[in-house]
Amino acid sequence: MMNSRENASYSGLSKRSTLLAAVGLALVSGGIALLACFSQLESRRLDVMQRFEQDVTAWLDGARRDVEIWNADMKKLRLRISESETYRLFSGDLFGLDSRVAGVINSAEQTGNLPGPAAVLSEEVPAIRRILLEFMNYNGLLDARLVNKNGQTILSAFSTPSPLSPEQNSAAQQTMKTGETSFLPVRGSVNGLALDVFEPVYDLDSPEKCVAVFMSSVPVLSKVTQFTARPKQNDMSTAAMVQRRGDVWEKMQVPSPVAVPAALGKELADHKGVLPFGLRESVSEGGGMVYSMSVFFPGLEWSLVHETPESVVEGMVFRAELPVYAVGVLAWISFMLLSGLLWWMGFGRQQRAVAAELRRLNQIISRQKELLDSVNLSLDVGLFMADVKGQIRVCNPALAAILGKDEKDVSEQMIFSCFPTDAATLLLDRIRQVAINNREEGCEIYLERDGEKRLYRVTLFPFMDAGGESVRNSIRGAVVSMKDITEFRRQSLRMRQRQKSLIEAFTRAEESVDPYLAGHSQRMAKLGELLSVEMGLSEDGRNTVVMGAMLSQVGKLFIPRELLTKKGKLTPEELDQVHQAPEHAFRLMENVDFDLPIARALHEMYENMDGSGYPNHLKGEEILPEARVLGVLNAFCAMVSSRAYRKGMDERQAVEELMNNARFDQTVVNHLRNVLKTPEGMVAARS
């Protein structure tokens, strides 16, 4: 037997061992809790950033639509002058006259009689000037004039117009040379901010000859103010319009635009005016760091920048992370308490001491419960725990608010007494599936709240009965969370509707340039839907084929109409212009946010499997699969369509032609043949 000294030594060693084990358990548990918290914190941060970026993108899309509508309206306004027969005839008559005569024709009534044809033209000046002046005043323009190839004002709303600045003169000459609309950067003026626009004027008798330029000065301060009206994301978000002037980016403000900070200007230049969502300097000098994002308007060379102070966004992130901090602290405290209890029990054998410790732990746990309850009250997600019989064991206040009830009227109640019958049936089925399969489940339900039908995303997790002998036997129900996703779903539907409207507009425009294209895109889309299902394409693949089919002819909007409708053989130069259609389609669609490879599919639609296609002579697997499908559909629909110079082929004959042509993907052709054997396929092919 051990003597008293050995017994004391053994007792001390046992206590130290127990203490070290408890400390080790506390450290390990703390490390585990810390790692779990870090993972959840990153997930919460990413979720907040993604949702905020979606809100900003939606606002920018709306603002972009407003700017594009305004720009289109201004274009129509300018064309009323530049396409007017009166001004085209007047400019054409002056085009061949001596520059000295053309330079004084606008003030002919003050300078006296002019020789020859100029005298006749000078008599017309007062009348058409009056019309131009009324047009300028009615539409709120600051200046309106016609400028000739020498940079001379040949007609102005004012009898004594101000001279053109070198920048205005250069822009007018550029428009005369290229025949394209030119925009100067917004400038300061006595009337605020002004935008100078130069529109080509073509001769009435020779429509291909540019004989003058219509220059209009548009006040834009009120429009810029409208476009940058305070966003609705929060009270601290702002928006600013910036413009590119050569290599410098400027913020539009009165009395005149000012350069943005150098670092931001470089980033705008690097991204061609389209800033991705991220943290950077503010547009305003001294504005600090902001989370910003922008959209660019080609031609105008404007970029609309949405900004939110860094502190505001980080505050949103912190509020989302706060419950994670609280849960992590509570978990670590719980492990610490368990470790302390083990240490206490290691050397304290008396029942009285254990009872005292349990009472102390009960007090701490009560405080923990109070803290958890306070965290639970701050959550906006409905939570409840229900068993497989459909009884709600416990719920949080957010769920009671969703159901329009008091918390005490929900706990311990059956699901069917709290939820509508359809929602309750679905929830009970999912709870039982969770209990049977021991895995997470999800669904969506509709609930009436405040007189409105709201959509909720439901996620269910299994919970265990601690007294069970096995995992399968211990599962007794599910923990259910409910998140209101009504607004998110509405935004998604609006975005899909905008995409549908955009595609329909392009389709109408496609058919307007070539009468033979009427119905071509719709036929491709109908066959593409059936063919995608036959080939087993993914949802993204099917959407890419159908949307690509609707936009398949969009590149032809930029091809001269006379080439598309020409009945004879095209010259090599004309054929080269027609082959530019995929490039035009790619440039038009590459910045449209479809979340699908639509632009690439349109770009590669005319590539051939043997490398003989265009524009990049890709071959085989180098070509996007959806582009290969569009290539087969485009060729088939063209072959079965009648033209003025030929009758359309029979569908089976067209397929045989495709099967004997190495340019097309034979796998796609075989699937198309299978589709055409079905009633639906034949209806689509002949529609």
Side-chain angles (χ1 to χ4, degrees):
M1 296 179 63
M2 292 186 294
N3 56 32
S4 59
R5 180 178 298 178
E6 291 173 338
N7 188 50
S9 175
Y10 177 80
S11 177
L13 181 61
S14 178
K15 291 179 180 180
R16 285 193 296 272
S17 298
T18 305
L19 178 60
L20 289 174
V23 171
L25 180 60
L27 292 175
V28 171
S29 63
I32 294 174
L34 191 61
L35 289 175
C37 284
F38 280 153
S39 174
Q40 285 296 313
L41 290 175
E42 184 61 27
S43 176
R44 292 291 181 94
R45 181 180 187 85
L46 182 61
D47 182 59
V48 170
M49 289 298 186
Q50 287 178 340
R51 284 190 282 111
F52 189 75
E53 181 180 355
Q54 291 171 353
D55 291 343
V56 173
T57 301
W59 184 87
L60 285 174
D61 285 343
R64 171 165 50 191
R65 184 175 60 255
D66 293 341
V67 175
E68 290 173 347
I69 291 173
W70 169 77
N71 193 22
D73 290 341
M74 294 306 298
K75 177 73 173 180
K76 294 177 182 177
L77 195 66
R78 296 192 300 272
L79 292 179
R80 289 173 57 188
I81 297 297
S82 65
E83 293 186 352
S84 167
E85 292 185 0
T86 299
Y87 294 101
R88 290 173 65 187
L89 183 60
F90 178 80
S91 301
D93 290 342
L94 275 175
F95 185 74
L97 295 183
D98 186 88
S99 62
R100 289 172 297 177
V101 174
V104 299
I105 194 72
N106 184 63
S107 56
E109 63 266 34
Q110 287 94 22
T111 58
N113 294 329
L114 296 174
V120 178
L121 291 175
S122 67
E123 295 176 358
E124 302 175 3
V125 169
I128 59 178
R129 175 189 291 121
R130 184 170 58 255
I131 297 173
L132 186 61
L133 179 61
E134 291 175 356
F135 172 83
M136 183 187 76
N137 291 334
Y138 180 80
N139 293 289
L141 302 180
L142 304 177
D143 194 2
R145 66 176 73 187
L146 293 175
V147 181
N148 68 4
K149 61 184 177 180
N150 299 315
Q152 298 170 312
T153 299
I154 58 175
L155 181 67
S156 171
F158 306 109
S159 58
T160 55
S162 58
L164 292 179
S165 69
E167 194 174 20
Q168 290 172 331
N169 189 26
S170 176
Q173 296 304 308
Q174 179 69 14
T175 299
M176 284 286 294
K177 181 179 179 181
T178 63
E180 296 180 354
T181 304
S182 298
F183 297 84
L184 283 181
V186 171
R187 56 181 172 84
S189 70
V190 294
N191 296 293
L193 299 178
L195 171 67
D196 296 325
V197 189
F198 301 83
E199 194 75 33
V201 179
Y202 292 94
D203 188 35
L204 190 60
D205 296 326
S206 302
E208 74 283 352
K209 182 170 69 175
C210 183
V211 293
V213 172
F214 172 57
M215 180 191 118
S216 58
S217 296
V218 185
V220 295
L221 177 58
S222 62
K223 282 297 177 182
V224 169
T225 302
Q226 174 186 335
F227 298 148
T228 58
R230 182 178 296 278
K232 296 181 180 180
Q233 278 68 41
N234 55 68
D235 293 337
M236 299 299 292
S237 293
T238 58
M241 190 75 77
V242 299
Q243 65 177 354
R244 178 164 56 194
R245 184 190 295 273
D247 296 331
V248 177
W249 286 84
E250 300 174 330
K251 177 184 177 183
M252 296 184 195
Q253 64 179 44
V254 290
S256 60
V258 297
V260 303
L264 181 61
K266 183 179 184 306
E267 189 172 1
L268 280 164
D270 292 342
H271 289 88
K272 298 181 180 179
V274 183
L275 293 175
F277 181 76
L279 182 64
R280 56 179 63 87
E281 281 189 85
S282 172
V283 167
S284 303
E285 190 70 39
M289 300 300 291
V290 297
Y291 281 93
S292 61
M293 187 177 182
S294 73
V295 61
F296 183 67
F297 303 98
L300 290 170
E301 301 302 297
W302 294 1
S303 185
L304 180 59
V305 183
H306 180 288
E307 296 185 340
T308 304
E310 178 186 12
S311 58
V312 173
V313 179
E314 292 299 332
M316 295 168 58
V317 173
F318 177 75
R319 288 191 292 274
E321 293 176 342
L322 187 59
V324 179
Y325 288 118
V327 172
V329 170
L330 290 176
W332 187 73
I333 290 176
S334 298
F335 278 116
M336 287 288 291
L337 291 175
L338 289 174
S339 302
L341 177 61
L342 290 175
W343 176 76
W344 177 266
M345 294 178 63
F347 65 90
R349 302 296 183 184
Q350 296 155 355
Q351 294 297 322
R352 188 180 302 172
V354 172
E357 180 64 15
L358 289 175
R359 285 194 298 271
R360 187 176 71 84
L361 289 175
N362 184 58
Q363 293 174 353
I364 295 175
I365 291 173
S366 297
R367 290 194 293 270
Q368 291 177 358
K369 184 179 182 302
E370 292 175 359
L371 181 57
L372 281 172
D373 289 341
S374 66
V375 172
N376 195 25
L377 287 171
S378 68
L379 292 175
D380 61 352
V381 177
L383 295 173
F384 68 95
M385 181 185 296
D387 60 22
V388 293
K389 297 179 180 179
Q391 183 178 17
I392 299 175
R393 299 284 187 86
V394 66
C395 73
N396 71 341
L399 177 71
I402 291 172
L403 298 175
K405 300 176 180 290
D406 291 332
E407 188 174 352
K408 59 182 178 58
D409 295 330
V410 178
S411 296
E412 302 302 326
Q413 299 299 313
M414 300 301 291
I415 289 179
F416 282 87
S417 66
C418 299
F419 289 85
T421 302
D422 291 343
T425 302
L426 180 60
L427 287 173
L428 184 58
D429 177 71
R430 290 295 187 274
I431 290 170
R432 290 172 176 172
Q433 289 295 324
V434 167
I436 293 172
N437 301 323
N438 187 26
R439 68 185 181 198
E440 177 184 340
E441 292 278 352
C443 63
E444 294 179 355
I445 63 172
Y446 282 97
L447 296 176
E448 289 284 338
R449 185 175 182 184
D450 299 329
E452 180 184 8
K453 202 170 188 179
R454 309 290 294 182
L455 177 63
Y456 292 87
R457 175 61 185 172
V458 181
T459 307
L460 305 93
F461 305 91
F463 77 86
M464 309 292 181
D465 185 341
E469 297 179 356
S470 66
V471 172
R472 179 172 296 275
N473 293 333
S474 64
I475 299 176
R476 291 293 179 265
V479 176
V480 185
S481 69
M482 297 174 53
K483 177 69 175 179
D484 190 337
I485 61 170
T486 308
E487 296 304 323
F488 176 80
R489 184 60 55 83
R490 287 173 179 170
Q491 287 186 7
S492 298
L493 292 175
R494 285 196 292 268
M495 181 175 293
R496 286 197 291 270
Q497 185 60 41
R498 286 197 295 270
Q499 289 179 350
K500 180 182 178 183
S501 300
L502 176 65
I503 291 173
E504 291 175 350
F506 276 125
T507 302
R508 290 193 297 271
E510 294 166 9
E511 296 178 351
S512 69
V513 301
D514 186 351
Y516 294 124
L517 291 180
H520 183 89
S521 299
Q522 289 86 349
R523 179 183 291 175
M524 283 184 62
K526 292 176 182 178
L527 282 173
E529 178 70 22
L530 298 173
L531 183 55
S532 299
V533 174
E534 165 70 20
M535 295 178 64
L537 297 184
S538 65
E539 183 178 357
D540 285 350
R542 292 196 299 272
N543 290 334
T544 299
V545 169
V546 174
M547 296 172 70
M550 293 298 294
L551 295 169
S552 60
Q553 310 304 314
V554 72
K556 293 183 179 178
L557 292 174
F558 302 88
I559 306 301
R561 183 185 180 94
E562 59 270 16
L563 297 185
L564 297 176
T565 57
K566 183 176 180 180
K567 295 183 179 180
K569 184 177 182 180
L570 298 178
T571 67
E573 293 77 15
E574 292 172 338
L575 193 60
D576 183 66
Q577 290 189 59
V578 173
H579 285 180
Q580 292 298 313
E583 298 286 359
H584 294 311
F586 181 80
R587 286 194 295 270
L588 185 62
M589 291 294 144
E590 65 176 334
N591 292 323
V592 179
D593 184 14
F594 289 116
D595 285 332
L596 296 169
I598 301 293
R600 182 183 169 190
L602 296 178
H603 195 231
E604 298 177 7
M605 188 177 75
Y606 294 96
E607 301 285 358
N608 295 329
M609 297 295 288
D610 59 1
S612 63
Y614 60 90
N616 295 322
H617 304 293
L618 303 178
K619 61 169 59 175
E621 296 300 322
E622 296 175 347
I623 307 170
L624 187 71
E626 291 83 356
R628 302 201 293 268
V629 175
L630 291 176
V632 171
L633 289 172
N634 185 50
F636 173 79
C637 292
M639 294 164 70
V640 299
S641 299
S642 296
R643 298 289 186 264
Y645 50 89
R646 65 164 174 84
K647 183 180 179 181
M649 290 185 181
D650 176 81
E651 291 82 8
R652 292 180 176 81
Q653 182 183 359
V655 171
E656 292 298 326
E657 290 280 347
L658 294 174
M659 292 181 66
N660 295 323
N661 196 325
R663 295 181 300 165
F664 299 101
D665 188 332
Q666 293 303 305
T667 301
V668 178
V669 175
N670 285 328
H671 283 292
L672 176 60
R673 183 174 61 178
N674 293 337
V675 168
L676 293 174
K677 292 178 180 179
T678 66
E680 298 84 358
M682 291 303 298
V683 170
R686 295 174 180 175
S687 60

